[in-house]
Amino acid sequence: MSKRVTSHDVARRAGVSRTTVSLVLNRSDAATFSPETRERVLQAAADLGYKPNSAARMLVSGNSETIGLVISNKDILSVDAFVPQVLHGIGEVNQRHGFHVLLESLASGPGAGTYDHLVESRRIDGLILLNPRQDDEALKRLIENKFPIVLVGTLRHPEEASINYSASASTRQAVDLLADLGHRNVGMVAFAPPGFVAVEGRKEALRRGLVARGLDLADSAVEHANFSAESGHAATRALLTRRPDITAIFAGNDTIAIGVISAARALGRRVPEDLSVVGHDDLPFAAWLSPALTTIRNDAVRQGALAAEMLISILEGKPVAERRVRLQSELMVRQSCAAAPR
Amino acid sequence: MSKRVTSHDVARRAGVSRTTVSLVLNRSDAATFSPETRERVLQAAADLGYKPNSAARMLVSGNSETIGLVISNKDILSVDAFVPQVLHGIGEVNQRHGFHVLLESLASGPGAGTYDHLVESRRIDGLILLNPRQDDEALKRLIENKFPIVLVGTLRHPEEASINYSASASTRQAVDLLADLGHRNVGMVAFAPPGFVAVEGRKEALRRGLVARGLDLADSAVEHANFSAESGHAATRALLTRRPDITAIFAGNDTIAIGVISAARALGRRVPEDLSVVGHDDLPFAAWLSPALTTIRNDAVRQGALAAEMLISILEGKPVAERRVRLQSELMVRQSCAAAPR
DNA sequence: CACCGTCACTAACACGTGTTATCTAGGATA
DNA sequence: TATCCTAGATAACACGTGTTAGTGACGGTG
């Protein structure tokens, strides 16, 4: 690699001081330079291919134009397609604003791994956190210290900034659909262990939906999987073995739904004739599974984009209309639900 | 946010100079300090919760302990589960070495978007590039300038460092499996447009495998999809409409395979009875699809981990035994292949 | 007693940038 | 002529760290 080009080199080549270079390149408004000097500087910078050293810039300006993306559980990354969608949305917005993304995934298990060092070493200006856990005390501290942070999901903290999908309306719709098809015994396979806010939220939404139709969600009708299709398969086997009367299952997300369908078939049940399945997220492949998955759509790309936009607004000191955005998810009716067997 | 703690504060509290603080904290070997001074410094640092400012550190040391991860095509990110697996592997290794990951995804289309700015602003020390395109000239320049860069995939450049799966042996196995099952007309749905090295590599591997069995891969038996299951579905429809004689399809990856299966069913063909399907990658969900997917396993997590390890070795100046690692993929035989219909 | 070496520590520089206060030349004003 | 202003440019500081060259004290050696 060739020697670095500094603003000093540009100054020398243009025959001006380093200050002049800096001012010309950064502040187009300060019109206190003659057009010809200005031109000479720009030319010299272009000739040398000058790119300011970001470390020096960070040091003096105090911000890094980088946002951290923290994924609450490392395991989710490798098996679920939700995260990359959010990443896609974030990346899009960031690129437009000249921001960068630093990725940090935390180990699984309670209290494992922190991201304080990212914050305290000033490596990032703000944070987007995916899928927060209810018991994340470090996160609460950060929020209360006013560190710029946007949640994808929610912590139900009064001071949080977040982009969150409400599952209630569309879950209600899905329940209506199933109830109208004659289903009375509905189960759930959550996508993660208890403790994740989204897990509890989806469970509660389902419970309320069922109660509204005179049904209920017994504890025995719920199993917790662990992010992967494989874990969904295992959980479903356990669930259907314990409660063979169940005729419809809400999967915590679409990846889990793959496991649910596979387990049903392994137990000799056809989908949807013998077991109806509802997914969650509407990942891009959901419409192309067999049968095409009926699922509750959360636009993950949009969620990521909105989170990034909100965070950048906060960082740039712009006013943010709503700090807790609640999006409505949408039921996508496809082929994985049918009339209850009798 | 409270005021930053600098090494100066630590020095004052411990009653020593800033130099002492720096030396005590960074060089455990320089035993030139009395144990008690050492202890006082460590205590003070702990009391104040001192975390060195990373920007200052970067500036003076010249490296950022950050590696860039560049994804050649933004689209792939949102629809395929391969990338996050690689990310998982990279993250694991990085965490162990105290490195960070900066994510950059490029727009699609030829020559779109560059990552030079990352390199030239010294924001990253090295680069991991996923799925390089054969026509990426900027990349070739970087390699020839000896910038530390590791490819996941290959560019077939003599100076490159790369972690690459060879598809040939296992593709050969898969072809044997199908040929033995009586298949004579085999097609392919590539996962991306031509130009991606991996696309060409997998196509060639298939062609060679077929030729070895006295079969061939006509141009009319190949369609190119575009990363998503949906595009796989469309491509397969086109392929099977043009060449209804085809009885087995190699999908460019597992996500595409979902689309292949879905299209086959839409055209009234059962899988595997009427059409056999072979995937590629063995993503975590592949074993749980219906039918369970026979696929060529590339351990993406491992690939990411190896790439990160190689890059970090290069960055730390350690010798790297092999700069072009070639892994052997492995055929996972499941349920999506059956005897050719007659 | 002069000299040397070691121990424990520090002053001072370097990294590359953004920004503020200041300087200079030249013309206008009193 | 002395003073003031302005346009055009710059010297000098700050950011927080790692590192090199050096300082002073003290004990041992010839």
Side-chain angles (χ1 to χ4, degrees):
Chain A
M1 296 256 70
S2 56
K3 190 74 180 54
R4 257 206 74 72
V5 178
T6 74
S7 61
H8 202 85
D9 301 329
V10 176
R12 195 166 38 216
R13 180 177 182 106
V16 296
S17 78
R18 213 184 46 69
T19 308
T20 304
V21 172
S22 177
L23 290 179
V24 166
L25 293 182
N26 296 320
R27 292 217 256 149
S28 46
D29 57 318
T32 175
F33 288 97
S34 71
E36 96 184 12
T37 300
R38 191 182 222 68
E39 180 53 38
R40 244 192 5 262
V41 170
L42 293 174
Q43 186 60 51
D47 289 352
L48 297 173
Y50 171 65
K51 295 274 165 32
N53 180 311
S54 61
R57 214 168 194 166
M58 282 185 217
L59 180 57
V60 65
S61 74
N63 40 42
S64 57
E65 304 203 311
T66 301
I67 70 180
L69 176 63
V70 174
I71 296 165
S72 60
N73 191 315
K74 199 183 290 184
D75 299 338
I76 200 176
L77 186 56
S78 56
V79 295
D80 196 79
F82 182 77
V83 177
Q85 291 208 263
V86 176
L87 256 170
H88 183 65
I90 293 176
E92 198 81 16
V93 172
N94 269 20
Q95 207 147 29
R96 210 164 53 234
H97 286 81
F99 272 69
H100 299 263
V101 191
L102 200 68
L103 197 69
E104 183 86 1
S105 50
L106 303 182
S108 54
T114 69
Y115 34 96
D116 291 350
H117 60 285
L118 284 183
V119 175
E120 289 170 356
S121 68
R122 282 283 185 280
R123 207 176 266 273
I124 57 174
D125 296 344
L127 207 56
I128 293 181
L129 192 109
L130 242 58
N131 234 328
R133 300 176 57 113
Q134 194 63 59
D135 58 0
D136 192 334
E137 295 300 329
L139 174 56
K140 286 178 194 153
R141 250 195 327 274
L142 278 180
I143 291 177
E144 283 155 14
N145 284 341
K146 312 279 184 217
F147 185 79
I149 176 165
V150 174
L151 308 178
V152 170
T154 178
L155 197 66
R156 295 175 184 156
H157 189 290
E159 298 175 41
E160 78 184 22
S162 60
I163 310 286
N164 189 37
Y165 265 97
S166 161
S168 50
S170 45
T171 299
R172 178 65 198 278
Q173 268 183 273
V175 168
D176 284 342
L177 174 71
L178 289 172
D180 291 347
L181 285 169
H183 292 272
R184 291 294 167 264
N185 299 310
V186 177
M188 171 160 211
V189 177
F191 70 87
F196 289 86
V197 182
V199 167
E200 304 300 334
R202 291 176 187 186
K203 209 194 299 181
E204 270 320 299
L206 177 56
R207 177 165 285 135
R208 283 198 310 275
L210 289 171
V211 167
R213 291 291 301 233
L215 304 173
D216 73 333
L217 184 69
D219 285 350
S220 69
V222 178
E223 275 284 334
H224 289 262
N226 205 357
F227 305 109
S228 69
E230 179 173 12
S231 72
H233 180 100
T236 306
R237 265 183 187 275
L239 178 60
L240 288 181
T241 304
R242 185 173 61 229
R243 290 283 308 271
D245 57 312
I246 286 178
T247 59
I249 291 183
F250 277 75
N253 68 32
D254 291 349
T255 302
I256 299 298
I258 292 179
V260 171
I261 294 173
S262 137
R265 295 222 169 107
L267 293 172
R269 299 229 209 168
R270 292 165 302 164
V271 177
E273 294 84 352
D274 302 325
L275 183 77
S276 290
V277 177
V278 178
H280 208 122
D281 285 350
D282 194 22
L283 295 182
F285 63 69
W288 312 100
L289 291 177
S290 310
L293 194 63
T294 292
T295 188
I296 293 171
R297 176 174 175 74
N298 283 5
D299 190 336
V301 176
R302 174 141 178 260
Q303 226 174 332
L306 288 175
E309 260 161 21
M310 185 185 293
L311 182 55
I312 291 175
S313 289
I314 292 174
L315 292 177
E316 291 179 344
K318 291 183 194 156
V320 175
E322 261 185 303
R323 287 176 57 88
R324 298 182 64 174
V325 174
R326 236 176 134 68
L327 303 171
Q328 286 301 326
S329 53
E330 186 186 351
L331 181 66
M332 310 298 289
V333 179
R334 302 206 180 96
Q335 270 100 56
S336 62
C337 294
R342 26 176 320 178
Chain B
M1 295 256 73
S2 55
K3 189 74 182 52
R4 255 206 77 71
V5 178
T6 75
S7 60
H8 203 85
D9 301 329
V10 176
R12 195 165 39 216
R13 181 177 181 105
V16 297
S17 77
R18 213 185 47 69
T19 307
T20 303
V21 172
S22 176
L23 290 178
V24 166
L25 293 182
N26 296 318
R27 293 216 256 148
S28 47
D29 57 319
T32 177
F33 288 97
S34 73
E36 94 184 17
T37 300
R38 192 183 222 68
E39 181 54 37
R40 244 192 2 262
V41 170
L42 293 174
Q43 187 60 48
D47 288 352
L48 297 173
Y50 170 67
K51 296 275 165 33
N53 179 311
S54 62
R57 212 168 195 167
M58 281 185 216
L59 180 57
V60 64
S61 74
N63 39 44
S64 56
E65 304 203 308
T66 301
I67 71 180
L69 176 62
V70 174
I71 296 165
S72 60
N73 190 313
K74 201 184 289 186
D75 299 339
I76 201 176
L77 187 55
S78 56
V79 295
D80 197 81
F82 182 76
V83 178
Q85 292 208 267
V86 176
L87 256 170
H88 183 66
I90 294 176
E92 198 81 16
V93 172
N94 269 20
Q95 208 148 30
R96 208 164 52 234
H97 288 79
F99 273 68
H100 300 262
V101 189
L102 201 67
L103 198 69
E104 183 86 1
S105 49
L106 303 183
S108 54
T114 69
Y115 35 93
D116 291 349
H117 61 284
L118 283 184
V119 174
E120 288 170 357
S121 68
R122 282 284 186 280
R123 207 177 265 276
I124 56 174
D125 297 344
L127 208 56
I128 293 181
L129 192 109
L130 243 57
N131 235 329
R133 301 176 56 113
Q134 194 63 61
D135 59 1
D136 191 335
E137 295 301 330
L139 174 57
K140 285 178 194 154
R141 247 192 334 270
L142 277 181
I143 291 177
E144 282 155 14
N145 284 339
K146 313 276 185 220
F147 185 79
I149 177 167
V150 174
L151 307 179
V152 170
T154 179
L155 197 67
R156 294 174 183 155
H157 189 292
E159 296 176 41
E160 80 185 21
S162 60
I163 310 286
N164 189 38
Y165 265 97
S166 161
S168 50
S170 45
T171 299
R172 177 65 198 278
Q173 267 183 277
V175 169
D176 284 342
L177 175 71
L178 290 172
D180 291 346
L181 286 169
H183 293 272
R184 291 293 168 264
N185 300 310
V186 177
M188 171 159 210
V189 177
F191 71 87
F196 288 85
V197 182
V199 167
E200 305 300 334
R202 290 176 188 187
K203 208 194 299 180
E204 269 321 299
L206 177 55
R207 177 165 286 135
R208 284 197 309 274
L210 288 171
V211 167
R213 290 292 300 235
L215 305 174
D216 73 333
L217 184 67
D219 284 350
S220 68
V222 177
E223 275 285 334
H224 287 263
N226 205 0
F227 305 109
S228 68
E230 179 173 13
S231 72
H233 180 100
T236 305
R237 265 182 187 276
L239 178 61
L240 288 181
T241 304
R242 184 172 64 229
R243 289 285 307 273
D245 58 311
I246 286 178
T247 59
I249 292 183
F250 277 75
N253 66 33
D254 292 349
T255 302
I256 299 297
I258 292 179
V260 171
I261 293 173
S262 138
R265 296 224 168 107
L267 293 172
R269 300 228 209 168
R270 291 164 302 165
V271 177
E273 294 83 352
D274 303 324
L275 183 77
S276 290
V277 177
V278 178
H280 209 123
D281 285 351
D282 194 23
L283 295 182
F285 62 70
W288 312 100
L289 292 176
S290 310
L293 194 63
T294 292
T295 187
I296 293 170
R297 175 174 177 72
N298 283 4
D299 190 335
V301 176
R302 175 143 176 258
Q303 228 173 330
L306 288 175
E309 259 160 20
M310 186 187 291
L311 182 54
I312 291 175
S313 288
I314 293 174
L315 291 177
E316 292 180 342
K318 292 183 194 156
V320 175
E322 261 185 301
R323 287 177 57 87
R324 298 181 66 174
V325 174
R326 235 177 135 68
L327 303 172
Q328 287 301 324
S329 53
E330 187 186 350
L331 181 65
M332 309 298 287
V333 179
R334 300 205 181 95
Q335 270 101 55
S336 63
C337 294
R342 27 174 320 172

